[in-house]
Amino acid sequence: MSLLEVRELEVAYPGGAAAVRGVDLSLAAGEKLGIAGESGCGKSTLALALLRLLPAGTRTGGRILLDGEDVLTMKWGRVRAVRWAGASIVFQGAMHSLNAVHRVGDQIAEPILLHHKATPAGARKRTGELLEQVGLPAARADAYPHELSGGQRQRVMIAMALACDPRLIVADEPTTALDVMIQAQILRLIEELVSEQETGLIMISHDLAVLADTCDRLAVMYAGRIVEEGPARQVYDDARHPYGRALSEAFPRIGDPASRFAPHGLPGDPPDPAAVPSGCAFHPRCPVALDVCATRDQPLRAAGPERRAACVHVEGAGFGGTPAAGAGARAPDAEARSSTP
């Protein structure tokens, strides 16, 4: 049985905006899954839904099975028990997540006291061990968040996420505000801790290169749906969906001068969740869309070994096979070759 099974997940905010539309995911213990996409594609909403952290009034459907239990139908007491102990989350922007008037050690110790019923002395000892595990001296437990650097605060957030030995960690843009060197250290730390403890990891980012280096599998989201999924490095190097290809090509690659001086990308923005286009939601921005894309949505289908993509150009879709083929194909927009997502 998988550690996490998400089936036909639907999330709609008050007012009817559908932020997540029929998402299917699975994650094994010790596996690392990356979720990529532009802002507004539903990544963070999906992360919040996994632990029922969505605002009041949000409507959800489908199933989220964590170790066989449906998170969406759990009683609140059970949900509180699952958070931290069963699954935890590392938010982006640690300064906004940490309490500015409490020492970081007290904040790490709080879930230990609550879930493990530890003594104050035992919680302090465990807090020191966690800080050292993430590369900080145990003495930093007495610091307030403003006394730590951005990288140190993010390490504290990771220590908090590990406090109760969860089976699943969700990391939502954990390195967004950090410089490149600190980002690399944090990503390496997360990868090592997850591998050592056989913890399942879902990492969310707009940066496919980061996810390709860190994760085993990669899922690309657009307009609340997963449009491509497969082994992370394969999706990054050879995306089968035009949107995944655009995300990958938006980042210059070391040793490839062409990508440095002529990065590819896409014009425009993801659609408003309250007004998703008919057919394939990506078709208004797609440089290889066919006429049928405006009227018929595409399901995820096999696009190679362990790969899936929701595109008419995937072999077996019945619409011509390659992005350049098929009557009614639109010419790539020149702007798509000069703008970035």
Side-chain angles (χ1 to χ4, degrees):
M1 182 175 63
S2 297
L3 169 61
L4 178 72
E5 292 277 352
V6 178
R7 292 290 171 257
E8 291 296 320
L9 180 63
E10 305 274 348
V11 178
Y13 287 112
V20 175
R21 305 182 300 129
V23 165
D24 290 328
L25 283 176
S26 63
L27 183 74
E31 187 178 23
K32 301 180 288 290
L33 171 66
I35 300 179
E38 297 166 281
S39 295
C41 287
K43 308 184 303 298
S44 293
T45 296
L46 173 60
L48 295 174
L50 295 178
L51 289 175
R52 269 175 63 180
L53 293 171
L54 295 164
T58 304
R59 291 182 290 107
T60 58
R63 307 179 75 192
I64 301 174
L65 301 177
L66 181 61
D67 277 330
E69 286 189 86
D70 192 345
V71 175
L72 296 180
T73 60
M74 288 178 182
K75 294 184 178 180
W76 273 112
R78 180 57 183 157
V79 172
R80 287 173 60 84
V82 166
R83 291 174 183 167
W84 295 102
S88 60
I89 187 166
V90 179
F91 294 103
Q92 57 179 313
M95 197 62 184
H96 302 293
S97 302
L98 294 171
N99 191 319
V101 299
H102 289 286
R103 300 180 192 274
V104 296
D106 294 335
Q107 297 182 62
I108 296 172
E110 183 177 2
I112 300 171
L113 291 166
L114 178 65
H115 291 279
H116 285 183
K117 308 299 182 184
T119 63
R124 282 195 300 272
K125 179 182 178 184
R126 174 62 175 155
T127 296
E129 293 171 350
L130 286 165
L131 287 173
E132 291 177 350
Q133 192 174 6
V134 298
L136 291 175
R140 298 306 279 165
D142 292 329
Y144 289 95
H146 71 272
E147 297 176 314
L148 302 176
S149 69
Q152 289 174 328
R153 286 194 293 267
Q154 204 62 41
R155 289 171 186 268
V156 169
M157 290 292 296
I158 295 170
M160 291 176 67
L162 294 169
C164 296
D165 300 315
R167 298 255 294 146
L168 170 67
I169 294 177
V170 181
D172 186 6
E173 302 272 12
T175 60
T176 296
L178 306 178
D179 63 67
V180 175
M181 292 298 292
I182 299 300
Q183 173 179 280
Q185 292 174 15
I186 295 297
L187 290 172
R188 186 165 57 250
L189 171 64
I190 292 174
E191 188 175 8
E192 289 173 354
L193 291 173
V194 167
S195 298
E196 289 171 3
Q197 301 184 22
E198 283 294 301
T199 302
L201 173 70
I202 293 180
M203 180 174 287
I204 293 171
S205 177
H206 62 276
D207 191 333
L208 263 71
V210 165
L211 296 177
D213 286 339
T214 307
C215 298
D216 304 312
R217 290 191 297 121
L218 178 57
V220 178
M221 285 190 73
Y222 187 81
R225 289 190 59 199
I226 291 177
V227 296
E228 182 164 3
E229 182 184 7
R233 178 52 61 177
Q234 292 182 29
V235 173
Y236 178 62
D237 289 336
D238 182 27
R240 301 296 171 84
H241 191 283
Y243 180 62
R245 191 176 307 122
L247 286 181
S248 177
E249 292 177 348
F251 295 92
R253 303 187 183 217
I254 296 174
D256 183 2
S259 72
R260 289 174 54 203
F261 297 112
H264 293 253
L266 287 171
D269 299 298
D272 185 332
V276 177
S278 60
C280 172
F282 183 60
H283 85 265
R285 303 173 69 194
C286 182
V288 294
L290 304 177
D291 292 339
V292 70
C293 299
T295 58
R296 188 181 303 178
D297 201 359
Q298 297 297 311
L300 281 168
R301 55 170 59 88
E306 301 181 10
R307 301 190 62 178
R308 298 188 299 164
C311 181
V312 297
H313 296 295
V314 173
E315 184 178 354
F319 291 95
T322 62
R330 304 173 189 170
D333 192 327
E335 186 180 358
R337 294 190 293 271
S338 60
S339 62
T340 57

